[in-house]
Amino acid sequence: MQFKPFGNTGVKISTLGFGAMRLPKRSGEGQDGFDHQAGVALIRQAIDAGINYLDTAPYYCDKESELIVGEALRDGYRDKVYLSTKLPHVEGGYDGCRAMLESSLKRMQTDRIDFYHLWGINWKGFDNRATADGPVKMALKAKEEGLIRHLSFSFHDEAANMFKLIDTGLFASVLCQYNMLDRSNEEAIAYAHQKGLGVVAMGPVGGGRLGCPSPVVQSLLPGKAYSSAELALRFVLSNPNVDCALSGMGTPDMVAENVDIATNAAPLTAEEQERVNRAVEENHRLAELYCTGCDYCMPCPAGVNIPKNFEYMNYHRVYKITEFARESYAQIGVSPWIKGEKASACTGCGVCEEKCPQKIKIREQLAETAAVLG
């Protein structure tokens, strides 16, 4: 396993991190929940292979992730890792936040958390919370007590706002989205590295998108026998401003494959990196021919989530990640995270086309999306 200095924290972490958000579920008829024994074995397999950055959160795996992590870190494993978890938005101000921290410590059977993240903050929410008697004040007090070592944040906001959070000077590290299909945080990542923050990239294979076979992705480097997932991971690890690629691994084979890539694979050369960058930019340009994601077409009178439907259609049309596109399309209106209706709910009213600055034939494309992905 390869290791890198983690910002100015004084520690070195593995370039591959274990995300405990996709732990194995129980199998068999009538079996619900997560398989704690299999989860413990999986986490320990990763640690034994050299991974020393372990990330979880109170709500992962139907609130079972922290429990499984705690079981895995018994028998001497706790001192082999840097442990990361998160503080979600909770009611009750300072006391509510303190109760959440103490719950995480108890569930994970540990006396300290190495990297404690304000979870999924945006600048507006942080600006409001920072002045309140709540998360930041509680975390800084807990740091004084040794219950947490470093205060961090995970980020899901506009890239420009990451600069503001970095400049507060409160944080030791940042966890943010970064992969071949989503490079929006690239400049902010470089700024974080420059300012001495550790940088962990989540979604290195695009939340599963780049784990699916894709002839388009695999053709980005002719003559290289890389799978889509391997190329995606190599791309992230080749960025000198990224310290760790965090992967949610759910099977022993996934752990073994990712560890092998992180341990033995040389980073992409500057020439290869530039070739991938150019190709990804061209594919992004092609995707924008179908939809730029400006949202001017919204809201739809029929409730269709037009940008999201077109985003999934572009996975198929531009990247040939068709299996993932169909699975994602099926979740529109079903998953609590993907609001609105599928393309099939379009009534053909045409209101969206009147508002589209690109003059896209939206009704026609929605019909195609429903036919291909439905």
Side-chain angles (χ1 to χ4, degrees):
M1 180 59 63
Q2 299 180 43
F3 299 85
K4 294 180 71 172
F6 196 39
N8 292 337
T9 64
V11 306
K12 288 188 174 181
I13 67 169
S14 52
T15 55
L16 177 66
F18 187 98
M21 71 285 286
R22 295 188 178 92
L23 297 174
K25 290 188 174 183
R26 295 190 182 95
S27 60
E29 187 176 350
Q31 295 288 316
D32 295 320
F34 289 80
D35 188 329
H36 285 223
Q37 184 176 354
V40 167
L42 193 69
I43 293 169
R44 290 185 174 182
Q45 175 193 351
I47 297 172
D48 290 340
I51 292 176
N52 74 348
Y53 187 87
L54 177 57
D55 178 87
T56 182
Y59 301 149
Y60 285 172
C61 302
D62 296 336
K63 301 183 179 180
E64 294 188 59
S65 179
E66 284 189 336
L67 292 171
I68 297 172
V69 166
E71 293 171 30
L73 295 184
R74 293 162 64 180
D75 305 323
Y77 276 86
R78 174 64 185 92
D79 293 332
K80 296 181 179 182
V81 300
Y82 296 106
L83 180 60
S84 159
T85 192
K86 306 176 183 72
L87 174 65
H89 176 71
V90 295
E91 301 297 330
Y94 184 100
D95 292 338
C97 294
R98 178 73 181 209
M100 179 61 73
L101 169 61
E102 292 177 355
S103 172
S104 290
L105 290 167
K106 182 178 180 180
R107 289 158 65 85
M108 294 190 292
Q109 305 177 54
T110 186
D111 61 355
R112 84 277 185 192
I113 294 164
D114 298 295
F115 296 95
Y116 197 50
H117 291 74
L118 300 188
W119 193 1
I121 59 174
N122 55 45
W123 175 248
K124 182 178 179 181
F126 171 80
D127 202 28
N128 291 337
R129 291 165 68 184
T131 57
D133 185 19
V136 174
K137 185 175 180 180
M138 186 283 297
L140 293 177
K141 176 63 175 175
K143 185 178 177 183
E144 290 178 4
E145 297 174 46
L147 299 178
I148 64 175
R149 297 277 177 86
H150 303 279
L151 181 59
S152 306
F153 71 98
S154 66
F155 184 76
H156 294 279
D157 195 6
E158 295 179 6
N161 286 333
M162 193 194 297
F163 291 86
K164 299 177 184 178
L165 289 163
I166 293 167
D167 283 339
T168 64
L170 287 169
F171 301 107
S173 69
V174 55
L175 171 64
C176 65
Q177 185 85 8
Y178 179 66
N179 57 66
M180 283 196 302
L181 299 184
D182 184 358
R183 296 170 54 204
S184 60
N185 291 322
E186 200 163 67
E187 290 184 11
I189 285 172
Y191 186 70
H193 181 79
Q194 175 192 335
K195 290 292 185 177
L197 276 71
V199 176
V200 179
M202 60 179 158
V205 292
R209 290 170 289 177
L210 293 166
C212 300
S214 168
V216 174
V217 173
Q218 289 170 284
S219 69
L220 296 180
L221 291 178
K224 299 286 188 177
Y226 297 151
S227 68
S228 301
E230 180 176 355
L231 180 56
L233 192 53
R234 280 174 177 259
F235 175 84
V236 172
L237 293 175
S238 295
N239 188 324
N241 299 312
V242 173
D243 301 314
C244 176
L246 184 67
S247 179
M249 295 172 273
T251 68
D253 286 346
M254 289 176 66
V255 172
E257 179 182 1
N258 286 351
V259 165
D260 181 63
I261 295 169
T263 302
N264 300 313
L268 299 181
T269 65
E271 181 181 348
E272 289 175 330
Q273 187 95 358
E274 179 58 27
R275 181 183 179 89
V276 171
N277 288 345
R278 288 198 307 269
V280 169
E281 288 296 333
E282 174 61 15
N283 285 337
H284 183 68
R285 186 189 67 80
L286 291 174
E288 288 193 338
L289 294 177
Y290 303 109
C291 178
T292 64
C294 71
D295 285 359
Y296 285 126
C297 59
M298 298 295 284
C300 165
V304 176
N305 188 334
I306 299 171
K308 188 60 67 176
N309 276 275
F310 286 170
E311 177 186 334
Y312 295 154
M313 185 60 173
N314 281 335
Y315 294 159
H316 157 73
R317 185 156 35 196
V318 178
Y319 296 99
K320 307 303 180 190
I321 311 175
T322 304
E323 179 184 349
F324 184 89
R326 287 177 174 152
E327 291 173 354
S328 300
Y329 177 82
Q331 291 300 307
I332 297 176
V334 176
S335 167
W337 305 105
I338 311 174
K339 305 297 185 182
E341 300 292 334
K342 298 178 177 65
S344 57
C346 174
T347 62
C349 70
V351 171
C352 54
E353 293 183 7
E354 295 174 4
K355 297 186 290 184
C356 177
Q358 308 298 321
K359 304 303 179 186
I360 295 170
K361 296 180 179 179
I362 296 176
R363 288 174 290 182
E364 190 176 295
Q365 289 202 35
L366 286 174
E368 182 184 0
T369 299
V372 173
L373 302 184

Short mmCIF file of all heavy atoms in Angstrom, two decimals, residues 224-278:
data_model
loop_
_atom_site.label_atom_id
_atom_site.label_comp_id
_atom_site.label_asym_id
_atom_site.label_seq_id
_atom_site.Cartn_x
_atom_site.Cartn_y
_atom_site.Cartn_z
N LYS A 224 -4.03 0.33 -23.58
CA LYS A 224 -3.97 0.01 -22.15
C LYS A 224 -5.15 -0.88 -21.78
O LYS A 224 -6.30 -0.53 -22.05
CB LYS A 224 -4.02 1.29 -21.31
CG LYS A 224 -2.87 2.26 -21.58
CD LYS A 224 -1.58 1.77 -20.97
CE LYS A 224 -0.50 2.84 -21.09
NZ LYS A 224 0.76 2.43 -20.44
N ALA A 225 -4.86 -1.99 -21.17
CA ALA A 225 -5.92 -2.95 -20.83
C ALA A 225 -6.47 -2.64 -19.45
O ALA A 225 -6.40 -3.45 -18.52
CB ALA A 225 -5.38 -4.38 -20.88
N TYR A 226 -7.03 -1.44 -19.30
CA TYR A 226 -7.61 -1.05 -18.03
C TYR A 226 -9.12 -1.26 -18.07
O TYR A 226 -9.79 -0.93 -19.05
CB TYR A 226 -7.37 0.44 -17.75
CG TYR A 226 -5.93 0.85 -17.59
CD1 TYR A 226 -5.53 2.14 -17.92
CD2 TYR A 226 -4.98 -0.03 -17.09
CE1 TYR A 226 -4.20 2.54 -17.76
CE2 TYR A 226 -3.66 0.36 -16.94
CZ TYR A 226 -3.27 1.64 -17.28
OH TYR A 226 -1.97 2.04 -17.12
N SER A 227 -9.67 -1.77 -16.97
CA SER A 227 -11.12 -1.77 -16.83
C SER A 227 -11.55 -0.33 -16.57
O SER A 227 -10.74 0.54 -16.22
CB SER A 227 -11.54 -2.66 -15.66
OG SER A 227 -11.13 -2.09 -14.43
N SER A 228 -12.84 -0.08 -16.72
CA SER A 228 -13.36 1.27 -16.46
C SER A 228 -13.06 1.69 -15.02
O SER A 228 -12.66 2.82 -14.75
CB SER A 228 -14.87 1.32 -16.70
OG SER A 228 -15.18 0.96 -18.03
N ALA A 229 -13.26 0.76 -14.08
CA ALA A 229 -13.04 1.06 -12.67
C ALA A 229 -11.58 1.34 -12.38
O ALA A 229 -11.25 2.26 -11.62
CB ALA A 229 -13.54 -0.09 -11.81
N GLU A 230 -10.68 0.56 -12.98
CA GLU A 230 -9.26 0.77 -12.73
C GLU A 230 -8.79 2.12 -13.27
O GLU A 230 -8.06 2.85 -12.61
CB GLU A 230 -8.43 -0.34 -13.36
CG GLU A 230 -6.92 -0.16 -13.12
CD GLU A 230 -6.09 -1.31 -13.64
OE1 GLU A 230 -6.66 -2.30 -14.11
OE2 GLU A 230 -4.85 -1.20 -13.57
N LEU A 231 -9.22 2.46 -14.48
CA LEU A 231 -8.84 3.74 -15.05
C LEU A 231 -9.38 4.89 -14.20
O LEU A 231 -8.68 5.89 -13.96
CB LEU A 231 -9.36 3.86 -16.49
CG LEU A 231 -9.04 5.18 -17.20
CD1 LEU A 231 -7.54 5.44 -17.22
CD2 LEU A 231 -9.59 5.17 -18.62
N ALA A 232 -10.61 4.74 -13.72
CA ALA A 232 -11.22 5.78 -12.88
C ALA A 232 -10.42 5.97 -11.60
O ALA A 232 -10.17 7.11 -11.17
CB ALA A 232 -12.66 5.41 -12.56
N LEU A 233 -10.01 4.88 -10.97
CA LEU A 233 -9.26 4.97 -9.72
C LEU A 233 -7.87 5.53 -9.98
O LEU A 233 -7.37 6.37 -9.22
CB LEU A 233 -9.18 3.59 -9.06
CG LEU A 233 -8.69 3.53 -7.62
CD1 LEU A 233 -9.48 4.45 -6.71
CD2 LEU A 233 -8.75 2.10 -7.10
N ARG A 234 -7.23 5.08 -11.06
CA ARG A 234 -5.91 5.62 -11.42
C ARG A 234 -5.98 7.13 -11.66
O ARG A 234 -5.07 7.86 -11.30
CB ARG A 234 -5.39 4.93 -12.68
CG ARG A 234 -4.77 3.55 -12.46
CD ARG A 234 -4.44 2.92 -13.81
NE ARG A 234 -3.79 1.64 -13.67
CZ ARG A 234 -2.47 1.44 -13.80
NH1 ARG A 234 -1.68 2.46 -14.05
NH2 ARG A 234 -1.96 0.24 -13.69
N PHE A 235 -7.06 7.57 -12.30
CA PHE A 235 -7.23 8.99 -12.59
C PHE A 235 -7.22 9.81 -11.31
O PHE A 235 -6.52 10.82 -11.20
CB PHE A 235 -8.53 9.22 -13.36
CG PHE A 235 -8.86 10.66 -13.61
CD1 PHE A 235 -8.32 11.33 -14.70
CD2 PHE A 235 -9.71 11.36 -12.76
CE1 PHE A 235 -8.61 12.67 -14.92
CE2 PHE A 235 -10.01 12.70 -12.98
CZ PHE A 235 -9.46 13.35 -14.07
N VAL A 236 -7.98 9.38 -10.32
CA VAL A 236 -8.06 10.11 -9.06
C VAL A 236 -6.73 10.07 -8.32
O VAL A 236 -6.24 11.09 -7.81
CB VAL A 236 -9.20 9.55 -8.18
CG1 VAL A 236 -9.17 10.18 -6.79
CG2 VAL A 236 -10.55 9.80 -8.84
N LEU A 237 -6.12 8.89 -8.25
CA LEU A 237 -4.86 8.74 -7.52
C LEU A 237 -3.72 9.49 -8.18
O LEU A 237 -2.69 9.77 -7.53
CB LEU A 237 -4.51 7.25 -7.38
CG LEU A 237 -5.44 6.42 -6.49
CD1 LEU A 237 -5.06 4.95 -6.55
CD2 LEU A 237 -5.42 6.92 -5.06
N SER A 238 -3.86 9.82 -9.46
CA SER A 238 -2.80 10.54 -10.18
C SER A 238 -2.81 12.03 -9.89
O SER A 238 -1.86 12.74 -10.22
CB SER A 238 -2.95 10.32 -11.69
OG SER A 238 -2.74 8.97 -12.03
N ASN A 239 -3.89 12.52 -9.27
CA ASN A 239 -3.95 13.94 -8.94
C ASN A 239 -3.08 14.19 -7.70
O ASN A 239 -3.38 13.67 -6.62
CB ASN A 239 -5.39 14.36 -8.66
CG ASN A 239 -5.55 15.86 -8.49
OD1 ASN A 239 -4.68 16.53 -7.94
ND2 ASN A 239 -6.67 16.39 -8.94
N PRO A 240 -2.01 14.97 -7.82
CA PRO A 240 -1.10 15.16 -6.68
C PRO A 240 -1.73 15.88 -5.50
O PRO A 240 -1.18 15.86 -4.39
CB PRO A 240 0.04 15.99 -7.29
CG PRO A 240 -0.58 16.70 -8.45
CD PRO A 240 -1.59 15.74 -9.00
N ASN A 241 -2.88 16.51 -5.73
CA ASN A 241 -3.56 17.24 -4.65
C ASN A 241 -4.54 16.37 -3.87
O ASN A 241 -5.13 16.84 -2.90
CB ASN A 241 -4.29 18.45 -5.23
CG ASN A 241 -3.36 19.41 -5.91
OD1 ASN A 241 -2.32 19.78 -5.36
ND2 ASN A 241 -3.69 19.82 -7.14
N VAL A 242 -4.72 15.13 -4.30
CA VAL A 242 -5.60 14.19 -3.61
C VAL A 242 -4.74 13.24 -2.78
O VAL A 242 -3.82 12.61 -3.31
CB VAL A 242 -6.46 13.39 -4.61
CG1 VAL A 242 -7.24 12.29 -3.89
CG2 VAL A 242 -7.41 14.31 -5.35
N ASP A 243 -5.03 13.13 -1.50
CA ASP A 243 -4.25 12.26 -0.63
C ASP A 243 -4.81 10.85 -0.57
O ASP A 243 -4.06 9.89 -0.36
CB ASP A 243 -4.22 12.84 0.79
CG ASP A 243 -3.61 14.24 0.83
OD1 ASP A 243 -2.55 14.43 0.22
OD2 ASP A 243 -4.21 15.14 1.46
N CYS A 244 -6.13 10.72 -0.75
CA CYS A 244 -6.77 9.42 -0.55
C CYS A 244 -8.03 9.33 -1.39
O CYS A 244 -8.81 10.28 -1.46
CB CYS A 244 -7.11 9.25 0.94
SG CYS A 244 -8.02 7.74 1.37
N ALA A 245 -8.20 8.19 -2.05
CA ALA A 245 -9.44 7.91 -2.77
C ALA A 245 -10.28 6.99 -1.89
O ALA A 245 -9.86 5.89 -1.55
CB ALA A 245 -9.15 7.24 -4.11
N LEU A 246 -11.47 7.46 -1.52
CA LEU A 246 -12.33 6.71 -0.61
C LEU A 246 -13.31 5.87 -1.41
O LEU A 246 -14.10 6.39 -2.20
CB LEU A 246 -13.10 7.67 0.29
CG LEU A 246 -13.99 7.05 1.36
CD1 LEU A 246 -13.15 6.35 2.41
CD2 LEU A 246 -14.84 8.13 2.01
N SER A 247 -13.25 4.56 -1.24
CA SER A 247 -14.10 3.66 -2.01
C SER A 247 -15.00 2.87 -1.08
O SER A 247 -14.55 2.28 -0.09
CB SER A 247 -13.22 2.69 -2.82
OG SER A 247 -14.02 1.77 -3.55
N GLY A 248 -16.29 2.84 -1.41
CA GLY A 248 -17.25 2.03 -0.66
C GLY A 248 -17.21 0.61 -1.18
O GLY A 248 -17.83 0.29 -2.19
N MET A 249 -16.50 -0.25 -0.50
CA MET A 249 -16.29 -1.63 -0.97
C MET A 249 -17.19 -2.58 -0.21
O MET A 249 -17.23 -2.55 1.02
CB MET A 249 -14.81 -1.99 -0.81
CG MET A 249 -13.89 -1.16 -1.70
SD MET A 249 -12.12 -1.38 -1.39
CE MET A 249 -11.84 -0.18 -0.08
N GLY A 250 -17.87 -3.45 -0.95
CA GLY A 250 -18.85 -4.33 -0.33
C GLY A 250 -18.57 -5.81 -0.42
O GLY A 250 -19.31 -6.61 0.15
N THR A 251 -17.48 -6.19 -1.11
CA THR A 251 -17.14 -7.61 -1.25
C THR A 251 -15.64 -7.79 -1.11
O THR A 251 -14.87 -6.86 -1.37
CB THR A 251 -17.56 -8.17 -2.61
OG1 THR A 251 -16.76 -7.57 -3.65
CG2 THR A 251 -19.04 -7.89 -2.90
N PRO A 252 -15.19 -8.99 -0.72
CA PRO A 252 -13.75 -9.26 -0.64
C PRO A 252 -13.04 -9.03 -1.97
O PRO A 252 -11.90 -8.56 -2.00
CB PRO A 252 -13.69 -10.72 -0.21
CG PRO A 252 -14.97 -10.95 0.54
CD PRO A 252 -15.99 -10.12 -0.18
N ASP A 253 -13.71 -9.37 -3.09
CA ASP A 253 -13.08 -9.18 -4.40
C ASP A 253 -12.85 -7.69 -4.70
O ASP A 253 -11.83 -7.32 -5.29
CB ASP A 253 -13.95 -9.80 -5.50
CG ASP A 253 -13.89 -11.32 -5.52
OD1 ASP A 253 -12.98 -11.87 -4.86
OD2 ASP A 253 -14.75 -11.94 -6.17
N MET A 254 -13.80 -6.86 -4.31
CA MET A 254 -13.64 -5.42 -4.53
C MET A 254 -12.46 -4.89 -3.72
O MET A 254 -11.67 -4.07 -4.22
CB MET A 254 -14.92 -4.68 -4.15
CG MET A 254 -16.08 -4.90 -5.09
SD MET A 254 -17.60 -4.09 -4.51
CE MET A 254 -17.13 -2.36 -4.65
N VAL A 255 -12.34 -5.33 -2.48
CA VAL A 255 -11.21 -4.91 -1.65
C VAL A 255 -9.90 -5.34 -2.30
O VAL A 255 -8.97 -4.54 -2.44
CB VAL A 255 -11.32 -5.49 -0.23
CG1 VAL A 255 -10.05 -5.20 0.57
CG2 VAL A 255 -12.53 -4.91 0.50
N ALA A 256 -9.83 -6.60 -2.71
CA ALA A 256 -8.59 -7.12 -3.29
C ALA A 256 -8.22 -6.37 -4.56
O ALA A 256 -7.04 -6.02 -4.77
CB ALA A 256 -8.74 -8.62 -3.57
N GLU A 257 -9.20 -6.12 -5.43
CA GLU A 257 -8.93 -5.44 -6.69
C GLU A 257 -8.46 -4.01 -6.45
O GLU A 257 -7.46 -3.56 -7.04
CB GLU A 257 -10.18 -5.43 -7.57
CG GLU A 257 -9.98 -4.71 -8.90
CD GLU A 257 -11.25 -4.66 -9.75
OE1 GLU A 257 -12.30 -5.16 -9.28
OE2 GLU A 257 -11.19 -4.11 -10.85
N ASN A 258 -9.17 -3.28 -5.60
CA ASN A 258 -8.79 -1.88 -5.35
C ASN A 258 -7.45 -1.76 -4.64
O ASN A 258 -6.67 -0.85 -4.92
CB ASN A 258 -9.88 -1.19 -4.55
CG ASN A 258 -11.11 -0.89 -5.38
OD1 ASN A 258 -11.11 -1.04 -6.59
ND2 ASN A 258 -12.17 -0.45 -4.73
N VAL A 259 -7.19 -2.67 -3.71
CA VAL A 259 -5.91 -2.66 -3.02
C VAL A 259 -4.78 -2.92 -4.01
O VAL A 259 -3.72 -2.28 -3.96
CB VAL A 259 -5.89 -3.70 -1.88
CG1 VAL A 259 -4.46 -3.96 -1.40
CG2 VAL A 259 -6.76 -3.23 -0.71
N ASP A 260 -5.00 -3.85 -4.92
CA ASP A 260 -3.97 -4.16 -5.92
C ASP A 260 -3.66 -2.93 -6.78
O ASP A 260 -2.50 -2.64 -7.06
CB ASP A 260 -4.44 -5.31 -6.81
CG ASP A 260 -3.39 -5.70 -7.85
OD1 ASP A 260 -2.30 -6.14 -7.45
OD2 ASP A 260 -3.66 -5.55 -9.06
N ILE A 261 -4.72 -2.21 -7.19
CA ILE A 261 -4.51 -1.01 -8.01
C ILE A 261 -3.76 0.05 -7.22
O ILE A 261 -2.78 0.64 -7.71
CB ILE A 261 -5.87 -0.45 -8.49
CG1 ILE A 261 -6.57 -1.43 -9.43
CG2 ILE A 261 -5.67 0.90 -9.18
CD1 ILE A 261 -8.01 -1.07 -9.72
N ALA A 262 -4.19 0.29 -5.98
CA ALA A 262 -3.57 1.34 -5.17
C ALA A 262 -2.14 0.99 -4.77
O ALA A 262 -1.31 1.88 -4.56
CB ALA A 262 -4.41 1.59 -3.92
N THR A 263 -1.85 -0.30 -4.67
CA THR A 263 -0.53 -0.73 -4.23
C THR A 263 0.47 -0.81 -5.37
O THR A 263 1.61 -0.37 -5.24
CB THR A 263 -0.63 -2.12 -3.55
OG1 THR A 263 -1.54 -2.04 -2.45
CG2 THR A 263 0.73 -2.58 -3.05
N ASN A 264 0.03 -1.36 -6.49
CA ASN A 264 0.97 -1.70 -7.55
C ASN A 264 0.91 -0.82 -8.79
O ASN A 264 1.87 -0.77 -9.57
CB ASN A 264 0.75 -3.16 -7.99
CG ASN A 264 0.94 -4.12 -6.84
OD1 ASN A 264 1.92 -4.03 -6.12
ND2 ASN A 264 0.01 -5.05 -6.66
N ALA A 265 -0.19 -0.13 -9.00
CA ALA A 265 -0.35 0.63 -10.24
C ALA A 265 0.40 1.95 -10.17
O ALA A 265 0.28 2.69 -9.21
CB ALA A 265 -1.83 0.89 -10.51
N ALA A 266 1.16 2.21 -11.22
CA ALA A 266 1.81 3.52 -11.32
C ALA A 266 0.77 4.57 -11.68
O ALA A 266 -0.20 4.27 -12.39
CB ALA A 266 2.90 3.46 -12.38
N PRO A 267 0.95 5.78 -11.21
CA PRO A 267 0.00 6.83 -11.60
C PRO A 267 0.02 7.04 -13.11
O PRO A 267 0.99 6.68 -13.79
CB PRO A 267 0.53 8.07 -10.86
CG PRO A 267 1.44 7.55 -9.80
CD PRO A 267 2.00 6.27 -10.32
N LEU A 268 -1.04 7.61 -13.62
CA LEU A 268 -1.04 7.97 -15.03
C LEU A 268 0.06 8.99 -15.27
O LEU A 268 0.34 9.85 -14.45
CB LEU A 268 -2.39 8.59 -15.42
CG LEU A 268 -3.64 7.73 -15.26
CD1 LEU A 268 -4.87 8.52 -15.72
CD2 LEU A 268 -3.54 6.44 -16.03
N THR A 269 0.72 8.86 -16.43
CA THR A 269 1.72 9.86 -16.77
C THR A 269 1.03 11.19 -17.07
O THR A 269 -0.19 11.24 -17.28
CB THR A 269 2.52 9.42 -18.00
OG1 THR A 269 1.63 9.38 -19.14
CG2 THR A 269 3.13 8.03 -17.80
N ALA A 270 1.82 12.26 -17.12
CA ALA A 270 1.26 13.58 -17.43
C ALA A 270 0.58 13.55 -18.79
O ALA A 270 -0.48 14.15 -18.98
CB ALA A 270 2.35 14.63 -17.39
N GLU A 271 1.19 12.83 -19.74
CA GLU A 271 0.61 12.73 -21.09
C GLU A 271 -0.71 11.97 -21.06
O GLU A 271 -1.69 12.37 -21.70
CB GLU A 271 1.60 12.04 -22.02
CG GLU A 271 1.10 11.92 -23.46
CD GLU A 271 2.10 11.22 -24.37
OE1 GLU A 271 3.26 11.02 -23.95
OE2 GLU A 271 1.71 10.85 -25.50
N GLU A 272 -0.75 10.86 -20.30
CA GLU A 272 -1.98 10.09 -20.19
C GLU A 272 -3.07 10.90 -19.49
O GLU A 272 -4.23 10.87 -19.89
CB GLU A 272 -1.71 8.78 -19.44
CG GLU A 272 -0.89 7.77 -20.22
CD GLU A 272 -0.53 6.56 -19.39
OE1 GLU A 272 -0.40 6.70 -18.14
OE2 GLU A 272 -0.38 5.46 -19.97
N GLN A 273 -2.67 11.60 -18.44
CA GLN A 273 -3.63 12.42 -17.71
C GLN A 273 -4.24 13.47 -18.63
O GLN A 273 -5.45 13.70 -18.61
CB GLN A 273 -2.92 13.10 -16.53
CG GLN A 273 -3.84 13.85 -15.59
CD GLN A 273 -4.28 13.04 -14.40
OE1 GLN A 273 -3.92 11.88 -14.28
NE2 GLN A 273 -5.07 13.62 -13.53
N GLU A 274 -3.40 14.10 -19.43
CA GLU A 274 -3.89 15.14 -20.34
C GLU A 274 -4.80 14.55 -21.40
O GLU A 274 -5.81 15.15 -21.78
CB GLU A 274 -2.70 15.85 -21.00
CG GLU A 274 -3.09 16.94 -21.98
CD GLU A 274 -3.95 18.04 -21.37
OE1 GLU A 274 -3.85 18.28 -20.16
OE2 GLU A 274 -4.74 18.65 -22.13
N ARG A 275 -4.46 13.36 -21.89
CA ARG A 275 -5.31 12.71 -22.89
C ARG A 275 -6.70 12.41 -22.32
O ARG A 275 -7.72 12.64 -22.96
CB ARG A 275 -4.66 11.42 -23.39
CG ARG A 275 -5.48 10.69 -24.45
CD ARG A 275 -4.85 9.37 -24.88
NE ARG A 275 -5.71 8.73 -25.86
CZ ARG A 275 -5.64 8.94 -27.17
NH1 ARG A 275 -4.74 9.78 -27.66
NH2 ARG A 275 -6.47 8.33 -28.00
N VAL A 276 -6.72 11.88 -21.08
CA VAL A 276 -7.99 11.60 -20.43
C VAL A 276 -8.77 12.89 -20.22
O VAL A 276 -9.98 12.95 -20.47
CB VAL A 276 -7.77 10.86 -19.09
CG1 VAL A 276 -9.06 10.77 -18.31
CG2 VAL A 276 -7.20 9.47 -19.33
N ASN A 277 -8.08 13.94 -19.77
CA ASN A 277 -8.75 15.22 -19.55
C ASN A 277 -9.40 15.73 -20.83
O ASN A 277 -10.55 16.19 -20.81
CB ASN A 277 -7.75 16.26 -19.03
CG ASN A 277 -7.32 16.00 -17.60
OD1 ASN A 277 -7.95 15.23 -16.88
ND2 ASN A 277 -6.24 16.64 -17.18
N ARG A 278 -8.67 15.67 -21.93
CA ARG A 278 -9.21 16.17 -23.20
C ARG A 278 -10.42 15.35 -23.63
O ARG A 278 -11.43 15.90 -24.09
CB ARG A 278 -8.14 16.13 -24.29
CG ARG A 278 -7.05 17.17 -24.15
CD ARG A 278 -6.30 17.36 -25.47
NE ARG A 278 -5.81 16.09 -26.01
CZ ARG A 278 -4.60 15.59 -25.76
NH1 ARG A 278 -3.76 16.24 -24.95
NH2 ARG A 278 -4.22 14.45 -26.29
#
